[in-house]
Amino acid sequence: MRVLVKGAGVAGLTAAFEFATRGAAVAVAETRHALGGNASWFAGGMLAPWCERESAEQPVLDLGRDAADWWDAATPGQVIRAGTLVVAAPRDAGELERFASRTSGHRRVDEDEIALLEPDLAGRFRRGLLFLDEAHLDPRLAMAALHDKLAAMGAEFRFGADAQHGSGFDRQIDCTGMAAADDRLRGVRGEMLILRTPDISLSRPVRLLHPRFPLYAVPRADTQFMIGATMVESRSVGPVTARSMMELLGAAYALHPAFGEAEIVETGVGVRPAFADNLPRVETSGEIIAINGLYRHGFLLAPAMARQAADLVFNQDGTKELTHETDGQRRSA
Amino acid sequence: MFDLLGTTLPSRLLLGTAQYPSPAILADAVKASGTSVVTVSLRREMAGGRAGEQFWSLIRSLGVRILPNTAGCHSVREAVTTANMAREVFGTNWIKLEVIGNHDTLQPDVFGLVEAARILCEDGFAVFPYTTDDLVVAERLLGAGCKVLMPWCAPIGSALGPVNIMALRSMRGHFPDVPLIVDAGLGRPSHAATVMELGFNAVLLNTAVARAADPVGMARAFGKAVEAGREAFSSGMLEPRDVAVPSTPTIGRAVFS
């Protein structure tokens, strides 16, 4: 079976990998000239379905809980399983209670345990939540690893390719995100920073709760940190705004003053494709399967979407329907 | 039914559209609350011209009246510019006017508010000013041409509920004929019922619903509380007494102690 995957973001690469491992001959067409530049490139790379459940619906947890295993198997060595630490300033203790009551899979940690987990945060936060089963990865390294693995498996990459028609292919997988012609999709802009400082080190993503400016800091190699991310109802890909940068930096400084001395290595903007319920969809229309709407959950949910798409083709009975009902509807049902 | 500036509205609850887990949940919450007016903020989403158009279409498709706001504006000029953009984008002359004077408390800058209200009223806007419970400021806003007032009952997003009942009561008493909408600070349905029992015409809230564990259920609860509070106000509530009064007569019963 010959499969054409359109789009080399996280949705396209995971779908290509899932089809290739099930024996399909895969070609990946990407209009950009190299990996990167898309929303996936600017992602945090947190595999944190329990934390996300604070504001996301149940399917995000159901579909995302196996993501770390998928990435570990597909790209060995990329996944760091160190959990997520959630903290709040003493003034915002209510935010921590709120977060705890909306999520599961965590345990409370006190000042001493925070100091053991993240020595550089010692004395800064009195209480926190540890989500031990969560993981993270560096999206850029993971995408490169997946690309290399696919290439080694014989997949063909067409970068800088114009609109591809699917002649000669049995199936097309449309993973073009915001570029897809689907007027149900909207863009949710996310702005992020990469900071570099040797003065602080973290072993895991840390989320700082704040009533106005929640923040996460994800440690990366070479004393870098990904700081994110804003959520703006806009499809604008223009540069990060001064206000967003100020908010992100202010929150980072509140997490640890050492971030005040950090170098700003990069600012980035990604526009996440989202449906009205902020849940992803796998949809078929003839020989075309579309995977879209991953919203802020690209690395978390792309593996499950890729599996669903492959199941649609390879096991006819494996077509699990995604539920799109809201939590409220489920409760009253 | 509720008459607001010549428009008849079925509900006395106005709902904000920010901070919901998803637009789908927002749509369900609007439906469950029975609200007929939603507010929408322009400022942040304006980044990049009409790049927020997709979200606005979702708001328009809710089928309820839109009250655009100038949330996050810190100066008269900024607020006036935003109001003009809002009129163009949503095709309405209604504007909820916010001019923020303090970054921490999001307290209105009442001087800037009066100035911006005058400019916008002269330009044909129906201005809904987000103000404090200060009577003098309220007078000035009415003098600037506002036909409705939106006093806070506590700082935005604080969920504290009415912190100064006396001031709210006095405001109602001073302006018996002006539509008064309590805006900001409501945390739970009982807060909404309390201010409606004082005779306020409507309430506007956002965070208390959007950030609830189940926004749809909370929207429904607020809808009921607003209705209950209003009906209680119109039905004439019993004043507290210092003596117990039995609801069933005791004379004539077999045992009389």
Side-chain angles (χ1 to χ4, degrees), chain A residues 54-55 57 95 98 102 185-187 191 212 232-236 243-244 247 276-278 326 328-329 331, chain B residues 21-25 28 43-45 47-48 50-55 58 72 103-106 211-214:
Chain A
E54 182 252 336
S55 61
E57 308 231 11
E95 297 297 311
R98 180 180 180 279
R102 305 285 158 78
L185 282 173
R186 72 184 204 287
E191 297 149 297
R212 282 191 231 170
V232 183
E233 288 287 346
S234 167
R235 57 167 183 257
S236 163
R243 176 173 161 165
S244 293
E247 289 172 3
D277 56 10
N278 292 344
T326 63
Q329 286 165 337
R331 230 165 274 159
Chain B
S22 71
I25 291 178
D28 289 346
R43 196 174 172 281
R44 194 71 205 263
E45 284 76 16
R50 296 176 77 88
E53 186 60 50
Q54 290 160 306
F55 183 68
L58 286 164
H103 187 71
D104 286 336
T105 61
L106 299 180
R211 304 273 280 154
D214 174 8

Side-chain angles (χ1 to χ4, degrees), chain A residues 1-6 19 24-27 165-174 284-289 309-316:
Chain A
M1 176 183 296
R2 284 174 54 77
V3 173
L4 174 66
V5 176
K6 293 180 173 178
F19 277 84
V26 174
H165 55 85
S167 62
F169 291 95
D170 304 301
R171 286 286 201 293
Q172 292 181 56
I173 320 293
D174 185 341
T284 45
S285 150
E287 300 305 307
I288 299 175
I289 299 176
D311 285 348
L312 279 175
V313 173
F314 292 100
N315 359 330
Q316 295 303 328

Side-chain angles (χ1 to χ4, degrees), chain A residues 142-158:
Chain A
M143 285 166 79
L146 208 48
H147 167 272
D148 294 350
K149 197 149 178 187
L150 276 161
M153 290 165 82
E156 178 197 347
F157 278 87
R158 302 174 184 174

Side-chain angles (χ1 to χ4, degrees), chain B residues 30 42 72 82 122 126 133 198 200 209 214 219 229 236 256:
Chain B
V30 166
L42 249 77
T82 305
E122 280 170 8
D133 49 26
L198 294 176
F200 280 80
V209 166
D214 174 8
F256 186 81

Side-chain angles (χ1 to χ4, degrees), chain A residues 183-267:
Chain A
D183 58 14
R184 295 170 303 163
L185 282 173
R186 72 184 204 287
V188 181
R189 176 180 155 99
E191 297 149 297
M192 56 80 90
L193 310 173
I194 294 183
L195 304 183
R196 180 165 53 218
T197 171
D199 296 338
I200 169 176
S201 75
L202 298 174
S203 303
R204 56 186 59 74
V206 175
R207 295 184 183 225
L208 175 66
L209 304 183
H210 184 280
R212 282 191 231 170
F213 314 122
L215 172 99
Y216 54 80
V218 188
R220 298 232 171 125
D222 303 326
T223 68
Q224 297 193 11
F225 298 86
M226 186 276 189
I227 304 290
T230 59
M231 304 273 284
V232 183
E233 288 287 346
S234 167
R235 57 167 183 257
S236 163
V237 290
V240 64
T241 63
R243 176 173 161 165
S244 293
M245 186 136 150
M246 198 173 67
E247 289 172 3
L248 289 171
L249 288 175
Y253 186 75
L255 181 62
H256 199 293
F259 282 120
E261 305 301 321
E263 297 168 346
I264 300 174
V265 177
E266 185 185 329
T267 66

